[in-house]
Amino acid sequence: MEDDRPERTNRVETTRARRALLVETAITCFVDQGIARTGMRDIAKKAGVSVGNLYNHFPGRDDLIAEIAKIDAAGLSEVVAQIAECTDPQEAIDRFVKTYFAYCADPVSAVLTVEITSEALRNPAIEDLFSGNRAMLVETLAAAIAAQGQTKTPADVSAGLVLDTIEGFALRVGLTGKKPRKGETEALMSFVRHALTAEED
Amino acid sequence: MEDDRPERTNRVETTRARRALLVETAITCFVDQGIARTGMRDIAKKAGVSVGNLYNHFPGRDDLIAEIAKIDAAGLSEVVAQIAECTDPQEAIDRFVKTYFAYCADPVSAVLTVEITSEALRNPAIEDLFSGNRAMLVETLAAAIAAQGQTKTPADVSAGLVLDTIEGFALRVGLTGKKPRKGETEALMSFVRHALTAEED
DNA sequence: ATCGATTCGATGAACGTTCGTTCACTTAAT
DNA sequence: ATTAAGTGAACGAACGTTCATCGAATCGAT
């Protein structure tokens, strides 16, 4: 039969799958033990693969870390793009806070953030991956704040402070692993909403 | 003369000084290269001391890290105590924001925070050192917020969010190393003041 | 005050382990 | 037959830690 394709597995497909498996395994290891305490052997063993093969897929340890940082940055980038499309300023801000918080508060994301931040301190290439995202976050949020236009502080400064609040809170939630207390997320939104309100004096 | 004490250096004094030197050197190394990338030899070499001697002062690497975490926590503890003494609620909050921010935004403190946070994720003993401080910070700030009593969200929840904002902003300032833009610190205080203001609806 | 005895800070070579990485080799898809 | 995924032993370097050893400060006896 023509349809009887070789049962032997497609090579490009299996190698892509294996590479993905290795990345996922590495993330798990980094989250569980920390980047610093994770060796190439740990990843290979957990993935059920030889060390040599691991090096067939990634030139070295730093490249593997950079790859994961890139994936993390790409995930964040998606969130930013998704948030951007909203017309009403107030609703845009609300959605921003809710969505960005949910993203950052995920335990895996939170732990990775700490680990990668530590890594970025000594690796400019990794830092660059995220500084772009940060700028985009500020830009997106500042636009909504400016459209609402109620405070006298520059919109990008306010946006930065809102991001700090969200990230700080999300990190606290994500690192401890316990869910936020009932109403705590609403408190965050109320907090931000008030913070962006103009004073009367 | 009676006053002519032995010129030979006092032993307990020199050992205390050397221990302090080692701690300080270790902090410098940890900030410069990160805890994970700093070896015992690095610290010993930079301090101009033999490795063996380093082990005479600290039982092991983890104890040295714990010691530094303890010092860091103690420094924060001082700040908390210093802040607590203020009667007027609004002024207490303002002082809190300003003082705590200044403390966290110090580059050394900021980098150490990231490094130690990463360490604390896998070392409960270190985490405990800071969870107590966090509770005290929340308690102190919540008292001032409750005394001012304007919002409907629980005071400790608001206090937590204020801390998140301060810490997030301070980390951003401290890690990048560049001073906050003019008026940015005032923006932080204005931001917090508004966030703690009750709504009218 | 002086002198052995003792204590302890200080040294750096050495130990065993683990690390990132390489490589000769096998296996399987093209 | 060629190409590339896959293997695991092996390599050199670096790690945390230990150890025999030395020198100087302390102490008790004189």
Side-chain angles (χ1 to χ4, degrees), chain B residues 66-137:
Chain B
E67 173 93 9
I68 287 172
K70 199 183 292 185
I71 288 175
D72 196 44
L76 178 55
S77 202
E78 262 186 41
V79 174
V80 178
Q82 176 193 337
I83 290 173
E85 359 165 300
C86 197
T87 55
D88 178 55
Q90 181 57 59
E91 192 194 325
I93 295 174
D94 282 352
R95 274 192 51 191
F96 187 102
V97 174
K98 201 184 294 184
T99 309
Y100 187 51
F101 170 76
Y103 177 81
C104 295
D106 173 65
V108 172
S109 174
V111 176
L112 265 190
T113 295
V114 175
E115 292 293 327
I116 294 180
T117 298
S118 170
E119 209 72 22
L121 284 176
R122 285 108 203 160
N123 188 341
I126 290 183
E127 188 185 350
D128 290 345
L129 285 176
F130 289 88
S131 64
N133 271 337
R134 170 88 194 186
M136 204 175 299
L137 282 168

Side-chain angles (χ1 to χ4, degrees), chain A residues 35-113:
Chain A
I35 294 181
R37 295 191 218 275
T38 299
M40 297 299 267
R41 286 170 181 79
D42 297 321
I43 300 169
K45 189 174 214 170
K46 187 154 207 161
V49 155
S50 68
V51 257
N53 195 13
L54 181 53
Y55 276 88
N56 282 339
H57 289 273
F58 303 95
R61 187 172 184 269
D62 289 339
D63 303 87
L64 182 51
I65 295 173
E67 173 93 9
I68 287 171
K70 199 182 292 185
I71 289 176
D72 197 43
L76 178 55
S77 201
E78 263 186 40
V79 174
V80 177
Q82 176 193 337
I83 290 174
E85 3 167 295
C86 198
T87 56
D88 179 55
Q90 181 57 59
E91 192 193 325
I93 296 174
D94 282 352
R95 274 192 51 189
F96 188 102
V97 174
K98 200 184 293 184
T99 309
Y100 187 52
F101 170 75
Y103 178 81
C104 295
D106 173 65
V108 171
S109 173
V111 175
L112 265 189
T113 295

